[in-house]
Amino acid sequence: EPEVTQTPSHQVTQMGQEVILRCVPISNHLYFYWYRQILGQKVEFLVSFYNNEISEKSEIFDDQFSVERPDGSNFTLKIRSTKLEDSAMYFCASSGRDLWAEQFFGPGTRLTVL
Amino acid sequence: RKEVEQDPGPFNVPEGATVAFNCTYSNSASQSFFWYRQDCRKEPKLLMSVYSSGNEDGRFTAQLNRASQYISLLIRDSKLSDSATYLCVVNKARTGANNLFFGTGTRLTVIP
C-alpha cells in the first residue's frame, strides 16, 4: 500500500539554526500539507500546497517557514531560524485528485530545538 | 469557540464493550468530516470518513448530524488493539483549500 514517507525521523538543532524537513508524498497525489503537533496538544494545520504554490497557510506559518517541491517527488518544509517553541512533531500529508479527498499522513519528524 | 470540540476522556472500557465518542464543530460550511486514530507518538491514521447518511465499517459506525453540527463514532465489541486516541477532524470549507481542523482527541483504553 502506498504511503507518505518523511525524513529524518528525529532532528535535534540549536536555536537559530535552519532545518529542512523532507517528505515524499504518495506518488499520484496532487495536494500536499504540513501539520505540526506540539507534545500533548492537538494537530495544527501549517500550510497546503497545490500546483506548485501555496494554497493556504495558517498564522503559525510566518516568514520563518517556507515550503518547496523541488523535484516532483519531494516536498520540503524549511524553518529558517528555529525557536524553542518550534519543537514539535511535524507531519506531512497528501491527498489525491479530489480536493476533498482523505489526507494520508506520514510518520512525522520530531524536531527538538535546544 | 473552538473549531472542533471533543470530550478528552479518558474512556476505560472492558474488552467486548460498546463505546461512543461525540464531537461538535463550529463551522456550518464544513464539507468533509473524518475520524482518525492516533497511537502514542505516531501519526494520525484515517479510520473513516463520515457522511450524512451514516456509514459503517465492521465494528465502527460513524454518524453526522449537520443540523446540530455533531459527529459521532460508535465502536462495538471493543478489542485491546482499539486502545488509542480518536481524533474528530473537520475541513475548513473554503474554495481551493482543504486544511483540516483537529479536535484534541478522545483517549480510549480497552482493558482485558
Side-chain angles (χ1 to χ4, degrees):
Chain A
E1 185 176 322
E3 57 185 22
V4 178
T5 59
Q6 289 185 244
T7 54
S9 57
H10 192 186
Q11 173 93 45
V12 181
T13 190
Q14 296 288 329
M15 190 170 58
Q17 295 296 304
E18 174 183 287
V19 294
I20 297 176
L21 311 183
R22 291 183 167 79
C23 168
V24 179
I26 294 172
S27 64
N28 62 349
H29 281 187
L30 300 180
Y31 298 89
F32 313 112
Y33 309 85
W34 284 100
Y35 293 83
R36 79 168 188 193
Q37 187 175 31
I38 295 171
L39 188 63
Q41 297 186 23
K42 65 180 180 180
V43 176
E44 299 174 289
F45 168 76
L46 291 178
V47 65
S48 58
F49 192 87
Y50 170 72
N51 200 26
N52 284 318
E53 61 183 22
I54 290 174
S55 308
E56 187 160 354
K57 56 187 180 180
S58 71
E59 291 174 355
I60 303 168
F61 194 89
D62 62 21
D63 292 344
Q64 294 300 313
F65 290 86
S66 61
V67 289
E68 198 176 35
R69 189 156 158 81
D71 56 13
S73 63
N74 290 286
F75 179 49
T76 62
L77 174 70
K78 182 193 290 187
I79 309 175
R80 252 179 287 280
S81 176
T82 50
K83 303 187 282 285
L84 294 177
E85 54 265 37
D86 293 329
S87 294
M89 194 75 158
Y90 288 80
F91 294 110
C92 173
S94 69
S95 63
R97 296 187 170 274
D98 179 358
L99 174 61
W100 311 115
E102 297 90 344
Q103 295 179 26
F104 295 91
F105 284 72
T109 292
R110 180 175 305 282
L111 176 65
T112 302
V113 182
L114 302 176
Chain B
R1 187 180 168 186
K2 292 180 184 175
E3 296 283 348
V4 181
E5 295 206 55
Q6 290 182 255
D7 179 349
F11 284 65
N12 299 316
V13 302
E15 268 186 291
T18 295
V19 61
F21 304 137
N22 304 315
C23 159
T24 57
Y25 61 95
S26 61
N27 186 345
S28 60
S30 294
Q31 301 283 346
S32 306
F33 309 89
F34 308 96
W35 283 101
Y36 281 75
R37 71 170 275 169
Q38 186 175 31
D39 294 288
C40 188
R41 295 178 179 260
K42 299 284 190 182
E43 75 272 24
K45 290 195 173 177
L46 180 67
L47 184 64
M48 56 200 307
S49 302
V50 189
Y51 306 113
S52 296
S53 54
N55 47 310
E56 187 174 313
D57 183 2
R59 299 180 293 107
F60 299 85
T61 301
Q63 294 277 354
L64 166 64
N65 184 323
R66 284 187 182 271
S68 303
Q69 294 177 212
Y70 173 94
I71 305 164
S72 65
L73 176 68
L74 184 76
I75 306 176
R76 288 181 299 279
D77 188 23
S78 301
K79 311 289 184 194
L80 296 177
S81 57
D82 294 335
S83 296
T85 297
Y86 289 82
L87 308 175
C88 179
V89 183
V90 175
N91 82 323
K92 185 173 180 177
R94 204 176 110 176
T95 302
N98 190 30
N99 44 301
L100 301 178
F101 285 104
F102 284 75
T104 51
T106 299
R107 179 95 179 244
L108 171 67
T109 301
V110 181
I111 304 163

Short mmCIF file of all heavy atoms in Angstrom, two decimals, chain A residues 20-55:
data_model
loop_
_atom_site.label_atom_id
_atom_site.label_comp_id
_atom_site.label_asym_id
_atom_site.label_seq_id
_atom_site.Cartn_x
_atom_site.Cartn_y
_atom_site.Cartn_z
N ILE A 20 15.59 21.64 7.51
CA ILE A 20 14.75 21.25 6.38
C ILE A 20 14.20 19.87 6.68
O ILE A 20 14.94 18.92 6.91
CB ILE A 20 15.55 21.22 5.06
CG1 ILE A 20 16.07 22.63 4.73
CG2 ILE A 20 14.66 20.71 3.93
CD1 ILE A 20 16.95 22.69 3.51
N LEU A 21 12.89 19.80 6.67
CA LEU A 21 12.19 18.53 6.88
C LEU A 21 11.70 18.04 5.52
O LEU A 21 11.13 18.82 4.76
CB LEU A 21 11.02 18.72 7.85
CG LEU A 21 11.33 19.45 9.16
CD1 LEU A 21 10.10 19.49 10.04
CD2 LEU A 21 12.50 18.84 9.87
N ARG A 22 11.91 16.74 5.28
CA ARG A 22 11.61 16.22 3.96
C ARG A 22 10.47 15.21 3.98
O ARG A 22 10.30 14.46 4.93
CB ARG A 22 12.86 15.57 3.37
CG ARG A 22 13.94 16.58 3.04
CD ARG A 22 15.16 15.97 2.39
NE ARG A 22 16.00 17.00 1.82
CZ ARG A 22 16.84 17.76 2.50
NH1 ARG A 22 16.97 17.60 3.80
NH2 ARG A 22 17.57 18.68 1.89
N CYS A 23 9.73 15.20 2.90
CA CYS A 23 8.56 14.35 2.76
C CYS A 23 8.50 13.84 1.32
O CYS A 23 8.82 14.57 0.38
CB CYS A 23 7.30 15.16 3.10
SG CYS A 23 5.74 14.39 2.67
N VAL A 24 8.12 12.58 1.18
CA VAL A 24 7.78 12.07 -0.14
C VAL A 24 6.32 11.67 -0.10
O VAL A 24 5.94 10.67 0.53
CB VAL A 24 8.65 10.87 -0.55
CG1 VAL A 24 8.23 10.35 -1.92
CG2 VAL A 24 10.12 11.24 -0.55
N PRO A 25 5.45 12.47 -0.73
CA PRO A 25 4.01 12.15 -0.71
C PRO A 25 3.72 10.91 -1.55
O PRO A 25 4.58 10.41 -2.28
CB PRO A 25 3.38 13.39 -1.36
CG PRO A 25 4.43 14.46 -1.29
CD PRO A 25 5.73 13.74 -1.38
N ILE A 26 2.50 10.43 -1.46
CA ILE A 26 2.06 9.31 -2.29
C ILE A 26 2.10 9.75 -3.75
O ILE A 26 1.68 10.87 -4.08
CB ILE A 26 0.65 8.85 -1.85
CG1 ILE A 26 0.74 8.26 -0.43
CG2 ILE A 26 0.06 7.85 -2.83
CD1 ILE A 26 -0.59 7.94 0.21
N SER A 27 2.59 8.88 -4.62
CA SER A 27 3.05 9.31 -5.94
C SER A 27 2.00 9.96 -6.83
O SER A 27 2.31 10.87 -7.56
CB SER A 27 3.69 8.13 -6.68
OG SER A 27 2.72 7.14 -6.91
N ASN A 28 0.77 9.57 -6.80
CA ASN A 28 -0.22 10.18 -7.70
C ASN A 28 -1.07 11.24 -7.01
O ASN A 28 -2.09 11.67 -7.55
CB ASN A 28 -1.10 9.10 -8.32
CG ASN A 28 -1.89 8.34 -7.28
OD1 ASN A 28 -1.64 8.47 -6.08
ND2 ASN A 28 -2.85 7.55 -7.71
N HIS A 29 -0.66 11.65 -5.84
CA HIS A 29 -1.41 12.68 -5.11
C HIS A 29 -1.02 14.06 -5.61
O HIS A 29 0.10 14.29 -6.10
CB HIS A 29 -1.17 12.56 -3.61
CG HIS A 29 -1.98 11.47 -2.98
ND1 HIS A 29 -2.01 11.28 -1.62
CD2 HIS A 29 -2.79 10.52 -3.51
CE1 HIS A 29 -2.81 10.26 -1.36
NE2 HIS A 29 -3.28 9.78 -2.48
N LEU A 30 -1.97 14.99 -5.49
CA LEU A 30 -1.77 16.33 -6.02
C LEU A 30 -1.75 17.42 -4.95
O LEU A 30 -1.31 18.53 -5.22
CB LEU A 30 -2.89 16.66 -7.02
CG LEU A 30 -3.01 15.73 -8.23
CD1 LEU A 30 -4.16 16.20 -9.11
CD2 LEU A 30 -1.71 15.71 -9.03
N TYR A 31 -2.28 17.11 -3.78
CA TYR A 31 -2.39 18.11 -2.72
C TYR A 31 -1.47 17.70 -1.59
O TYR A 31 -1.46 16.54 -1.16
CB TYR A 31 -3.84 18.20 -2.20
CG TYR A 31 -4.82 18.65 -3.27
CD1 TYR A 31 -5.45 17.70 -4.08
CD2 TYR A 31 -5.12 19.98 -3.46
CE1 TYR A 31 -6.34 18.09 -5.06
CE2 TYR A 31 -6.01 20.38 -4.44
CZ TYR A 31 -6.62 19.44 -5.23
OH TYR A 31 -7.50 19.83 -6.20
N PHE A 32 -0.73 18.68 -1.04
CA PHE A 32 0.26 18.37 -0.03
C PHE A 32 0.11 19.35 1.13
O PHE A 32 -0.26 20.51 0.94
CB PHE A 32 1.67 18.48 -0.63
CG PHE A 32 1.79 17.77 -1.96
CD1 PHE A 32 1.98 18.50 -3.12
CD2 PHE A 32 1.68 16.40 -2.03
CE1 PHE A 32 2.06 17.85 -4.35
CE2 PHE A 32 1.76 15.75 -3.26
CZ PHE A 32 1.95 16.48 -4.41
N TYR A 33 0.39 18.84 2.32
CA TYR A 33 0.14 19.61 3.54
C TYR A 33 1.26 19.38 4.54
O TYR A 33 1.88 18.32 4.57
CB TYR A 33 -1.18 19.16 4.19
CG TYR A 33 -2.37 19.13 3.26
CD1 TYR A 33 -2.63 18.02 2.47
CD2 TYR A 33 -3.24 20.21 3.20
CE1 TYR A 33 -3.72 17.99 1.61
CE2 TYR A 33 -4.35 20.18 2.35
CZ TYR A 33 -4.57 19.07 1.56
OH TYR A 33 -5.66 19.04 0.72
N TRP A 34 1.46 20.38 5.38
CA TRP A 34 2.25 20.21 6.59
C TRP A 34 1.38 20.58 7.77
O TRP A 34 0.66 21.59 7.76
CB TRP A 34 3.50 21.10 6.58
CG TRP A 34 4.60 20.59 5.71
CD1 TRP A 34 4.93 21.01 4.46
CD2 TRP A 34 5.54 19.56 6.04
NE1 TRP A 34 6.00 20.31 3.98
CE2 TRP A 34 6.40 19.41 4.92
CE3 TRP A 34 5.75 18.75 7.16
CZ2 TRP A 34 7.44 18.48 4.89
CZ3 TRP A 34 6.78 17.83 7.13
CH2 TRP A 34 7.61 17.70 6.01
N TYR A 35 1.50 19.75 8.81
CA TYR A 35 0.84 19.98 10.09
C TYR A 35 1.90 19.84 11.18
O TYR A 35 2.95 19.22 10.96
CB TYR A 35 -0.25 18.93 10.35
CG TYR A 35 -1.44 19.00 9.42
CD1 TYR A 35 -1.40 18.40 8.16
CD2 TYR A 35 -2.62 19.65 9.80
CE1 TYR A 35 -2.49 18.45 7.31
CE2 TYR A 35 -3.72 19.71 8.94
CZ TYR A 35 -3.64 19.11 7.71
OH TYR A 35 -4.72 19.16 6.87
N ARG A 36 1.61 20.38 12.35
CA ARG A 36 2.51 20.13 13.47
C ARG A 36 1.69 19.78 14.70
O ARG A 36 0.51 20.11 14.82
CB ARG A 36 3.40 21.33 13.75
CG ARG A 36 2.72 22.44 14.51
CD ARG A 36 3.68 23.48 15.02
NE ARG A 36 2.99 24.40 15.91
CZ ARG A 36 3.48 25.54 16.32
NH1 ARG A 36 4.70 25.91 15.93
NH2 ARG A 36 2.80 26.33 17.12
N GLN A 37 2.35 19.10 15.63
CA GLN A 37 1.71 18.73 16.89
C GLN A 37 2.72 18.92 18.00
O GLN A 37 3.69 18.14 18.11
CB GLN A 37 1.20 17.29 16.85
CG GLN A 37 0.38 16.90 18.07
CD GLN A 37 -0.21 15.50 17.94
OE1 GLN A 37 0.37 14.61 17.31
NE2 GLN A 37 -1.37 15.28 18.56
N ILE A 38 2.51 19.94 18.79
CA ILE A 38 3.32 20.13 19.99
C ILE A 38 2.91 19.06 20.99
O ILE A 38 1.73 18.70 21.09
CB ILE A 38 3.11 21.55 20.57
CG1 ILE A 38 3.64 22.58 19.57
CG2 ILE A 38 3.77 21.70 21.92
CD1 ILE A 38 3.29 24.01 19.91
N LEU A 39 3.89 18.55 21.72
CA LEU A 39 3.65 17.43 22.64
C LEU A 39 2.47 17.71 23.57
O LEU A 39 2.42 18.75 24.24
CB LEU A 39 4.91 17.18 23.47
CG LEU A 39 4.91 15.93 24.34
CD1 LEU A 39 4.79 14.68 23.48
CD2 LEU A 39 6.16 15.87 25.21
N GLY A 40 1.51 16.80 23.57
CA GLY A 40 0.35 16.93 24.45
C GLY A 40 -0.76 17.81 23.92
O GLY A 40 -1.78 18.00 24.59
N GLN A 41 -0.55 18.36 22.71
CA GLN A 41 -1.57 19.25 22.14
C GLN A 41 -2.15 18.66 20.86
O GLN A 41 -1.76 17.59 20.41
CB GLN A 41 -0.95 20.62 21.88
CG GLN A 41 -0.47 21.31 23.15
CD GLN A 41 0.01 22.73 22.91
OE1 GLN A 41 -0.39 23.38 21.94
NE2 GLN A 41 0.85 23.23 23.80
N LYS A 42 -3.10 19.39 20.27
CA LYS A 42 -3.76 18.86 19.07
C LYS A 42 -2.91 19.10 17.83
O LYS A 42 -1.98 19.91 17.83
CB LYS A 42 -5.12 19.52 18.91
CG LYS A 42 -5.08 21.00 18.64
CD LYS A 42 -6.46 21.58 18.49
CE LYS A 42 -6.41 23.07 18.22
NZ LYS A 42 -7.74 23.66 18.07
N VAL A 43 -3.25 18.40 16.78
CA VAL A 43 -2.61 18.59 15.49
C VAL A 43 -3.09 19.93 14.91
O VAL A 43 -4.29 20.23 14.92
CB VAL A 43 -2.97 17.43 14.54
CG1 VAL A 43 -2.39 17.66 13.16
CG2 VAL A 43 -2.51 16.10 15.12
N GLU A 44 -2.13 20.72 14.38
CA GLU A 44 -2.47 22.05 13.85
C GLU A 44 -2.02 22.17 12.40
O GLU A 44 -0.89 21.79 12.06
CB GLU A 44 -1.76 23.14 14.65
CG GLU A 44 -2.11 23.18 16.12
CD GLU A 44 -1.25 24.20 16.84
OE1 GLU A 44 -0.04 23.95 17.01
OE2 GLU A 44 -1.78 25.27 17.22
N PHE A 45 -2.85 22.75 11.57
CA PHE A 45 -2.53 22.99 10.17
C PHE A 45 -1.46 24.07 10.04
O PHE A 45 -1.52 25.11 10.71
CB PHE A 45 -3.80 23.42 9.44
CG PHE A 45 -3.60 23.97 8.06
CD1 PHE A 45 -3.31 23.12 7.01
CD2 PHE A 45 -3.66 25.33 7.83
CE1 PHE A 45 -3.12 23.63 5.73
CE2 PHE A 45 -3.47 25.85 6.57
CZ PHE A 45 -3.19 25.01 5.51
N LEU A 46 -0.51 23.84 9.15
CA LEU A 46 0.50 24.86 8.84
C LEU A 46 0.27 25.44 7.43
O LEU A 46 0.14 26.64 7.27
CB LEU A 46 1.91 24.27 8.90
CG LEU A 46 2.43 23.87 10.27
CD1 LEU A 46 3.83 23.26 10.13
CD2 LEU A 46 2.47 25.05 11.21
N VAL A 47 0.26 24.56 6.43
CA VAL A 47 0.26 25.04 5.05
C VAL A 47 -0.27 23.96 4.12
O VAL A 47 -0.10 22.77 4.38
CB VAL A 47 1.69 25.47 4.64
CG1 VAL A 47 2.63 24.28 4.61
CG2 VAL A 47 1.71 26.21 3.32
N SER A 48 -0.92 24.40 3.05
CA SER A 48 -1.32 23.48 1.99
C SER A 48 -0.69 23.94 0.68
O SER A 48 -0.44 25.14 0.48
CB SER A 48 -2.84 23.40 1.87
OG SER A 48 -3.40 24.69 1.63
N PHE A 49 -0.47 22.99 -0.23
CA PHE A 49 0.32 23.25 -1.43
C PHE A 49 -0.29 22.49 -2.58
O PHE A 49 -0.56 21.28 -2.47
CB PHE A 49 1.75 22.77 -1.16
CG PHE A 49 2.78 23.19 -2.15
CD1 PHE A 49 3.44 24.40 -2.02
CD2 PHE A 49 3.15 22.36 -3.20
CE1 PHE A 49 4.43 24.79 -2.91
CE2 PHE A 49 4.14 22.74 -4.10
CZ PHE A 49 4.78 23.95 -3.94
N TYR A 50 -0.52 23.20 -3.68
CA TYR A 50 -1.13 22.56 -4.86
C TYR A 50 -0.63 23.27 -6.09
O TYR A 50 -0.52 24.50 -6.12
CB TYR A 50 -2.66 22.63 -4.76
CG TYR A 50 -3.37 22.22 -6.03
CD1 TYR A 50 -3.40 20.88 -6.42
CD2 TYR A 50 -4.00 23.15 -6.85
CE1 TYR A 50 -4.04 20.48 -7.57
CE2 TYR A 50 -4.64 22.77 -8.01
CZ TYR A 50 -4.66 21.43 -8.38
OH TYR A 50 -5.30 21.04 -9.53
N ASN A 51 -0.32 22.52 -7.11
CA ASN A 51 0.09 23.08 -8.40
C ASN A 51 1.28 24.02 -8.22
O ASN A 51 1.33 25.11 -8.81
CB ASN A 51 -1.10 23.82 -9.02
CG ASN A 51 -0.95 24.03 -10.51
OD1 ASN A 51 -0.26 23.27 -11.19
ND2 ASN A 51 -1.57 25.07 -11.03
N ASN A 52 2.20 23.57 -7.40
CA ASN A 52 3.47 24.28 -7.16
C ASN A 52 3.33 25.64 -6.49
O ASN A 52 4.21 26.50 -6.66
CB ASN A 52 4.25 24.44 -8.47
CG ASN A 52 4.92 23.14 -8.88
OD1 ASN A 52 5.46 22.43 -8.03
ND2 ASN A 52 4.85 22.81 -10.15
N GLU A 53 2.26 25.81 -5.76
CA GLU A 53 2.17 27.04 -4.99
C GLU A 53 1.35 26.81 -3.71
O GLU A 53 0.59 25.84 -3.63
CB GLU A 53 1.57 28.18 -5.80
CG GLU A 53 0.17 27.94 -6.31
CD GLU A 53 -0.32 29.09 -7.17
OE1 GLU A 53 0.52 29.84 -7.72
OE2 GLU A 53 -1.54 29.25 -7.30
N ILE A 54 1.55 27.70 -2.76
CA ILE A 54 0.82 27.60 -1.50
C ILE A 54 -0.65 27.95 -1.74
O ILE A 54 -0.97 28.98 -2.35
CB ILE A 54 1.43 28.55 -0.45
CG1 ILE A 54 2.81 28.02 -0.02
CG2 ILE A 54 0.52 28.70 0.75
CD1 ILE A 54 3.57 28.95 0.91
N SER A 55 -1.55 27.06 -1.27
CA SER A 55 -2.99 27.32 -1.37
C SER A 55 -3.46 28.14 -0.18
O SER A 55 -4.26 29.06 -0.32
CB SER A 55 -3.76 26.01 -1.39
OG SER A 55 -3.28 25.15 -2.36
#
